Amino acid sequence: MKLYILATGKDAKGTQLEYLTKTILESLGYEYVATNVIGAGGDEIDVSAKMVIPSIGGNQEYPLICECKAHENPINITDWDKFLGKVFKHQKDNPQTRGLMIALSDANGNVKGEVADKNYKDVQLLQGKDLIKPLSKTFHLEDEKIAREDVSHLTNETVVSVDLILYEKEIYWLFTFANGQYSIFDKNYKSLPHKHESTLLPLLEKYSTLQASSYKNVRLEFEFRQRRAFVRAAICWHLMQGQMTYQDAISDVVTMTSGGMVPEMKDVEEEMPTIPFANVDEDNHTATLKPSEEIDYANFYFWLLRGPIPVFLYNDYYQEHIDETLLNTILTIQYNLELSDKDKQSCLFVLRHSHSALRYALHPDLLLQGSVLMDKEKGTSSARNRFVEQLLVNLEADINNDAVMPFEKLGLRDFTKQVTMRLVDKDGAVREISTNQRLFLLPVKTGGWTIVLAADGFEGEFDLEKGSVKPTLKHNA
């Protein structure tokens, strides 16, 4: 890891280096930090400080001799030996003196090997990743690993290095990718405003080998892709209800994101023609869904469920076209899995109430491939059990994550899960453990519905006439 100090001139760079050195030393517990010498190029600084530690009989003072180097190349063994000589000279006058070398551009292998072999007691080298802890404390940075994970969610590009930039007493993250491009974020991984980019990029080009033309704002690109995904989802879900205008698509995205995202008309104009199931009138800025007989619903739902799921647009069209024809296509996708008529109806019910179950079913489950063949040979039902179990697992996940969809939008009223596990230990002792969970929908006096987790001792059934659960409490004798 390198730290680039960007400044508009040598004096400004020296001032930045002085500030950085003081903040690092203070984060390590040193005080009375004083600058002795700033190099002519502004890329190295000599500093003295001391650490005061309370002890029996009075405070113990430990003077510090410190050098901070921000050279373009890593420090070499000559740099290190000169620094050691300076520290040892001061230790003759005061044995409590300590030494600290801060190598912002890292140290080469010879220096690292020397430090590892000698294991100096009173002399320390801060370089590369060693700088993260004091810098994190000073500037409240996350760990490099967390930073890498955060950026990996924004782009498919491989991160090859993570560095830091100091500019006007503020730290920025610098990520370089395998394709030669790079991105800069503020310390909280947010995109830089355009005016910051226009300032930092020319300076970074001056102080490094990176070219401004290779800069890539991956967060901005991620937000663009995310916005377009919401536009596509809003269009397709709206088309299930009938004709829509381009302006409807914008309004739907705003509703889907609670006002957190407002697409431009250009987003809709460019995405609308890409919807493979829509008839688009570009002149009038309207669209309708193609007739049912022209739509392959396995492809339709496969395409639809790639993006965000706007629960407010769930409608009869969605459930209407999850039928036996679609299920038979799904069973073909699942390596010609065979189900009884009763199982088919059960699976259709789950598929209509769980978008995650439908998404799972439309992708081949590799674990079923061998089981389907074995079932036919042995007459077992392992493949059937696997398939049905995965549908139920996905249904439960949808209910736990957002019960509004299966309960309020798709009409589910009562959900009970019972699980029994049979465990056998090494001595043959058998133990069965059972769990029971029940969720149901109840009307609220002020209007609307609420999802309730049943307490122990509760019994009840759904009242078709009143459209609610009629509770019955058990009384223990």
Side-chain angles (χ1 to χ4, degrees):
M1 171 176 281
K2 293 179 65 175
L3 178 64
Y4 293 94
I5 299 178
L6 304 186
T8 54
K10 293 180 179 180
D11 291 341
K13 185 176 181 182
T15 300
Q16 293 244 84
L17 187 57
E18 180 181 13
Y19 161 76
L20 176 67
T21 305
K22 286 184 177 181
T23 53
I24 290 177
L25 292 181
E26 288 169 357
S27 74
L28 297 174
Y30 288 96
E31 54 188 36
Y32 305 107
V33 179
T35 304
N36 296 329
V37 179
I38 297 179
D43 55 6
E44 62 179 67
I45 187 172
D46 290 345
V47 178
S48 62
K50 65 180 175 181
M51 181 180 291
V52 180
I53 300 178
S55 61
I56 298 175
N59 294 335
Q60 183 67 54
E61 294 186 358
Y62 294 89
L64 177 73
I65 301 300
C66 174
E67 284 188 8
C68 183
K69 295 185 182 295
H71 297 169
E72 182 176 343
N73 298 317
I75 66 167
N76 54 42
I77 197 67
T78 301
D79 298 322
W80 179 247
D81 286 340
K82 288 182 178 178
F83 175 66
L84 287 180
K86 182 187 298 184
V87 175
F88 293 156
K89 179 180 178 181
H90 281 80
Q91 284 181 339
K92 290 181 179 180
D93 298 327
N94 186 342
Q96 304 296 340
T97 300
R98 297 174 176 179
L100 174 64
M101 168 74 84
I102 301 175
L104 300 179
S105 297
D106 211 341
N108 68 19
N110 291 334
V111 176
K112 293 178 181 179
E114 171 84 6
V115 173
D117 292 341
K118 297 296 180 63
N119 192 23
Y120 296 99
K121 181 180 179 181
D122 299 319
V123 183
Q124 184 181 4
L125 172 66
L126 279 185
Q127 47 81 34
K129 293 183 179 181
D130 297 333
L131 287 165
I132 285 293
K133 188 173 182 179
L135 289 176
S136 297
K137 181 178 179 180
T138 300
F139 295 99
H140 308 290
L141 299 177
E142 293 285 3
D143 183 78
E144 179 187 344
K145 182 180 179 181
I146 297 176
R148 281 179 177 268
E149 290 176 354
D150 185 82
V151 172
S152 70
H153 297 311
L154 304 178
T155 178
N156 293 325
E157 301 295 343
T158 301
V159 177
V160 294
S161 67
V162 181
D163 300 305
L164 296 173
I165 293 172
L166 177 69
Y167 177 70
E168 292 191 346
K169 300 183 179 181
E170 191 53 79
I171 283 286
Y172 300 88
W173 290 99
L174 170 62
F175 294 86
T176 306
F177 305 108
N179 64 357
Q181 295 179 316
Y182 65 94
S183 285
I184 303 175
F185 301 89
D186 69 14
K187 63 184 179 183
N188 297 315
Y189 314 122
K190 302 301 182 184
S191 290
L192 300 184
H194 179 68
K195 63 178 182 179
H196 281 65
E197 290 180 346
S198 60
T199 299
L200 290 177
L201 296 186
L203 290 174
L204 186 60
E205 189 172 53
K206 176 181 178 182
Y207 288 103
S208 73
T209 58
L210 297 173
Q211 301 296 311
S213 58
S214 298
Y215 179 73
K216 179 180 182 180
N217 192 325
V218 295
R219 185 174 291 280
L220 196 63
E221 291 188 4
F222 172 80
E223 292 170 353
F224 172 84
R225 294 193 302 271
Q226 188 181 45
R227 187 174 70 251
R228 289 298 178 94
F230 271 99
V231 168
R232 288 193 297 272
I235 290 172
C236 213
W237 286 100
H238 193 121
L239 288 175
M240 290 182 184
Q241 303 178 101
Q243 187 183 66
M244 73 177 299
T245 66
Y246 283 21
Q247 187 59 48
D248 289 334
I250 293 178
S251 300
D252 287 346
V253 172
V254 173
T255 304
M256 286 170 61
T257 62
S258 301
M261 188 178 295
V262 181
E264 300 174 359
M265 183 57 70
K266 182 180 179 181
D267 295 321
V268 183
E269 290 174 344
E270 292 184 358
E271 289 300 323
M272 186 71 80
T274 70
I275 308 297
F277 312 101
N279 288 323
V280 182
D281 183 346
E282 296 187 39
D283 294 332
N284 295 311
H285 277 201
T286 61
T288 56
L289 205 59
K290 290 181 178 180
S292 296
E293 58 270 17
E294 296 182 23
I295 296 178
D296 178 341
Y297 281 96
N299 288 331
F300 176 78
Y301 287 119
F302 182 90
W303 190 91
L304 182 71
L305 296 174
R306 296 182 307 172
I309 311 298
V311 296
F312 70 93
L313 286 177
Y314 253 86
N315 48 50
D316 293 339
Y317 187 99
Y318 172 80
Q319 295 189 67
E320 200 176 297
H321 293 91
I322 300 177
D323 53 19
E324 289 198 31
T325 300
L326 175 63
L327 180 58
N328 288 332
T329 302
I330 287 173
L331 296 179
T332 301
I333 292 172
Q334 301 298 343
Y335 309 102
N336 296 313
L337 176 66
E338 295 180 2
L339 295 177
S340 67
D341 290 340
K342 181 179 179 181
D343 281 340
K344 284 184 177 181
Q345 294 307 310
S346 297
C347 290
L348 281 172
F349 180 87
V350 175
L351 292 172
R352 291 182 183 124
H353 287 80
S354 170
H355 66 276
S356 294
L358 181 56
R359 183 189 290 115
Y360 155 77
L362 290 168
H363 292 77
D365 184 340
L366 294 177
L367 293 179
L368 287 179
Q369 189 171 14
S371 296
V372 169
L373 179 61
M374 292 174 61
D375 285 351
K376 291 179 179 179
E377 291 181 348
K378 299 181 180 180
T380 62
S381 58
S382 59
R384 174 265 179 201
N385 291 342
R386 162 75 184 182
F387 182 71
V388 173
E389 178 188 20
Q390 289 305 303
L391 293 184
L392 294 175
V393 166
N394 280 280
L395 171 63
E396 182 183 8
D398 284 344
I399 289 174
N400 290 335
N401 291 335
D402 187 358
V404 171
M405 191 186 303
F407 277 91
E408 184 177 345
K409 298 297 179 182
L410 300 180
L412 196 63
R413 289 293 177 267
D414 198 335
F415 171 84
T416 301
K417 177 186 176 183
Q418 296 173 317
V419 177
T420 299
M421 297 187 69
R422 183 175 183 270
L423 308 175
V424 183
D425 67 17
K426 60 182 178 61
D427 299 321
V430 178
R431 183 180 297 275
E432 288 191 353
I433 303 174
S434 299
T435 61
N436 183 45
Q437 174 185 306
R438 186 179 185 190
L439 299 173
F440 56 90
L441 194 72
L442 284 180
V444 180
K445 291 182 179 179
T446 55
W449 301 84
T450 183
I451 309 298
V452 178
L453 174 63
D456 291 341
F458 175 88
E459 289 185 350
E461 58 185 14
F462 183 68
D463 189 328
L464 291 175
E465 294 183 1
K466 295 182 179 180
S468 62
V469 172
K470 180 175 64 179
T472 303
L473 294 178
K474 290 192 298 183
H475 299 281
N476 295 326

